[in-house]
Each structure stands twice: as C-alpha cells, then as structure tokens.
C-alpha cells in the first residue's frame, strides 16, 4: 500500500497540470464527474494517503488503497477508475477510490496530523495520544490516519525500531520523552522515505522492515501479525522495549 511519502512523490510529478483546464473527466467511479469539466485545476495537494485535486469551490480526493496506481499519459488495458484529461494529456488512476468534497481541504482535514506537512503539530499529536489513546497499543495508534495521516506499515515499523519501542506497548505506559522522540522519528523517517523514493531504495535501506535479523545485535527478528490491526510486524525483542 502506498504510504504518505509515495503520494507526495506522485503529487510532485503532477505539478505541471496545475492551472490547466480539465477537458474531460472519466472513469467508472460513482461520482458526478460532469462538475469538473471545463474547470481550471487550481492546485494539487495531499493529505496523508490522499491526493487532492483542488478546484474553485470543491475538491476531489483520490485514494489508491491496497492495489491502486497512477499513470500519466499512459493507459493500462483495463479501464481507469478515474481519469482527468487536459487536452492531449491525461492522468489515469486504477483501482482508486474518489470522493467529492465541497469547500477547501482545510475545511475537512486537520493538517496538524499529516506527518509530511510543515503544519504537523507535535504538541497537538502528543496531547491526543496522552488524552484519548492511552489504553491503546502504540503499534495500532500509529496506523490511525486521523492521528498520523500518511503513516503506513513501513514507516510504523521503522520508526518504532528507531525509537526502541515495542509496538504492543501501551501509550500511557510510554514515558513522555520517549513518545516525543518517537514523533520525531516518524517525521524524520517519513522525509527520508520521500528521498529514498527517488532512487527506489526504500525497502533495500530499511533497518528491519522485510528483514530477518536486527542490524545492531544480529538477533533474529520477531515477525508476526500484531495488535488489533493485525498487520505484519517486525520487532527486535532485544532493542525494542515493551512498556506495559
Ligand atoms: Zn536489536
């Protein structure tokens, strides 16, 4: 599944379409596409794992889910779920979900939670963790897109390893300093992830995601579907402390 940095990477590829007028909107998604036609695309934004196509009075979000993909000026043999045409150019999305929103992205999304945005607000997220998420496991909370928009499994696994925290640790039992450090690791690693996409080296350079052995102590990693979210999780039981 594409994580926040992959979506930002796609957004950066689409910048040349900003200011262009949509000549046709197509695809099999159940959304009224006629409203988009002949309108100028004002901006392309992201929120977490969503690409946002911003028009004057509304915007359309595109979510790639588990198997989605995007092609520019190329087509697959299967039908696109959503496509924007700009004269001779086109952006095609496959197996993507779209949603129509009235107003601006700011009216609907809290950018303070987007780990790749300058607006990411560490104090806001820390307060949310300590006030409302105390009884949950940190490995689960990290995947909550309302708190950590853009975090996917790779960012989750790598950040917890860098912060030396076991994913099953209860949020309320993790010392505040550790939580603050974890937030920093999430932001730092998300930025690194974005840079690694340029050379397609995310998986290759990961410390423990997709690996068998801890690079620090060479002990075998514990690999299982953990937490309520049941996502494949990699843990070094020597390096990562369980706070219960
Ligand atoms: Zn280790």
């Amino acid at each position: 599944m594409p994580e926040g940095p992959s979506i930002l990477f796609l957004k950066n590829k689409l910048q040349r379409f900003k200011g262009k007028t949509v000549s046709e909107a197509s695809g099999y998604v159940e959304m009224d596409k006629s409203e988009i036609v002949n309108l100028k695309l004002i901006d392309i934004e992201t929120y977490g794992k969503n690409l946002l196509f911003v028009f004057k009075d509304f915007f359309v979000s595109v979510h790639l889910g588990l198997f989605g993909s995007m092609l520019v000026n190329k087509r697959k043999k299967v039908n696109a779920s959503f496509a924007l045409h700009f004269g001779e150019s086109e952006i095609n999305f496959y197996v993507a979900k779209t949603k129509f929103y009235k107003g601006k992205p700011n009216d609907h999304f809290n950018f303070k939670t987007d780990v790749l945005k300058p607006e990411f607000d560490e104090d806001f997220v820390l307060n949310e963790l300590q006030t409302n998420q105390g009884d949950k496991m940190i490995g689960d909370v990290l995947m909550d897109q309302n708190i950590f928009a853009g975090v996917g499994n790779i960012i989750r696994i790598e950040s917890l390893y860098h912060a030396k925290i076991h994913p099953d640790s209860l949020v309320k039992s993790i010392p505040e300093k550790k939580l603050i450090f974890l937030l920093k690791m999430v932001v730092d690693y998300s930025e690194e992830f974005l840079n690694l996409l340029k050379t397609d080296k995310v998986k290759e350079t990961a410390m423990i995601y997709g690996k068998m052995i801890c690079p620090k102590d060479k002990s075998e990693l514990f690999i299982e579907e953990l937490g309520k979210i049941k996502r494949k999780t990699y843990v070094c039981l020597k390096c990562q402390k369980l706070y219960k």
Side-chain angles (χ1 to χ4, degrees):
M1 173 181 227
E3 306 193 16
S6 315
I7 300 304
L8 192 52
F9 188 71
L10 292 183
K11 179 204 121 170
N12 293 339
K13 279 188 175 177
L14 297 176
Q15 286 312 296
R16 64 191 147 111
F17 292 102
K18 241 167 94 168
K20 298 246 165 88
T21 299
V22 176
S23 54
E24 188 194 344
S26 58
Y28 60 76
V29 287
E30 283 178 28
M31 183 184 72
D32 182 11
K33 294 171 283 287
S34 63
E35 289 210 46
I36 308 171
V37 181
N38 291 328
L39 287 187
K40 190 195 260 189
L41 176 62
I42 293 173
D43 205 359
I44 304 167
E45 259 295 341
T46 61
Y47 173 70
K49 299 172 186 171
N50 300 282
L51 260 176
L52 312 175
F53 292 91
V54 183
F55 299 91
K56 191 167 160 274
D57 301 315
F58 63 88
F59 67 95
V60 173
S61 74
V62 178
H63 193 284
L64 294 179
L66 272 177
F67 307 107
S69 61
M70 179 187 94
L71 285 178
V72 176
N73 295 337
K74 280 182 206 151
R75 286 183 191 182
K76 291 191 179 184
K77 279 180 186 153
V78 294
N79 290 330
S81 45
F82 181 59
L84 287 172
H85 306 257
F86 303 84
E88 297 290 292
S89 303
E90 60 189 31
I91 309 169
N92 294 305
F93 292 101
Y94 298 90
V95 205
K97 282 188 183 139
T98 60
K99 199 172 167 187
F100 185 94
Y101 291 89
K102 285 224 178 293
K104 299 278 175 222
N106 259 326
D107 306 335
H108 298 270
F109 302 123
N110 180 6
F111 288 118
K112 288 180 180 179
T113 63
D114 189 322
V115 300
L116 282 149
K117 286 255 183 312
E119 292 96 327
F120 181 76
D121 188 334
E122 203 184 271
D123 293 335
F124 176 84
V125 174
L126 181 66
N127 184 54
E128 168 63 23
L129 291 178
Q130 293 177 323
T131 312
N132 300 319
Q133 311 293 328
D135 292 325
K136 294 185 186 159
M137 290 180 276
I138 188 66
D140 285 347
V141 179
L142 274 169
M143 292 295 259
D144 185 336
Q145 296 302 298
N146 292 315
I147 306 170
F148 290 100
V151 171
N153 208 26
I154 301 179
I155 297 175
R156 177 178 84 103
I157 302 289
E158 293 290 294
S159 305
L160 285 168
Y161 177 74
H162 286 296
K164 299 189 166 66
I165 300 170
H166 191 296
D168 283 355
S169 298
L170 289 180
V171 171
K172 65 180 175 194
S173 306
I174 305 171
E176 186 173 277
K177 264 191 176 174
K178 270 270 167 195
L179 272 181
I180 293 170
F181 186 65
L182 173 65
L183 296 185
K184 184 174 161 34
M185 289 302 104
V186 169
V187 170
D188 286 359
Y189 183 71
S190 299
E191 283 166 10
E192 191 185 326
F193 191 130
L194 180 63
N195 279 323
L196 290 166
L197 283 169
K198 291 171 195 158
T199 48
D200 201 15
K201 288 209 160 99
V202 177
K203 286 189 177 156
E204 190 183 314
T205 57
M207 299 294 270
I208 61 167
Y209 180 88
K211 306 290 192 297
M212 303 293 284
I213 287 167
C214 171
K216 282 183 197 144
D217 47 56
K218 311 294 173 207
S219 64
E220 207 175 304
L221 296 172
F222 179 74
I223 305 167
E224 231 171 80
E225 288 175 358
L226 292 182
K228 289 203 170 128
I229 55 166
K230 301 264 177 255
R231 289 294 296 270
K232 194 170 184 184
T233 308
Y234 300 80
V235 190
C236 174
L237 298 174
K238 277 190 189 167
C239 293
Q240 293 173 261
K241 186 172 170 183
L242 180 63
Y243 297 91
K244 276 279 174 190

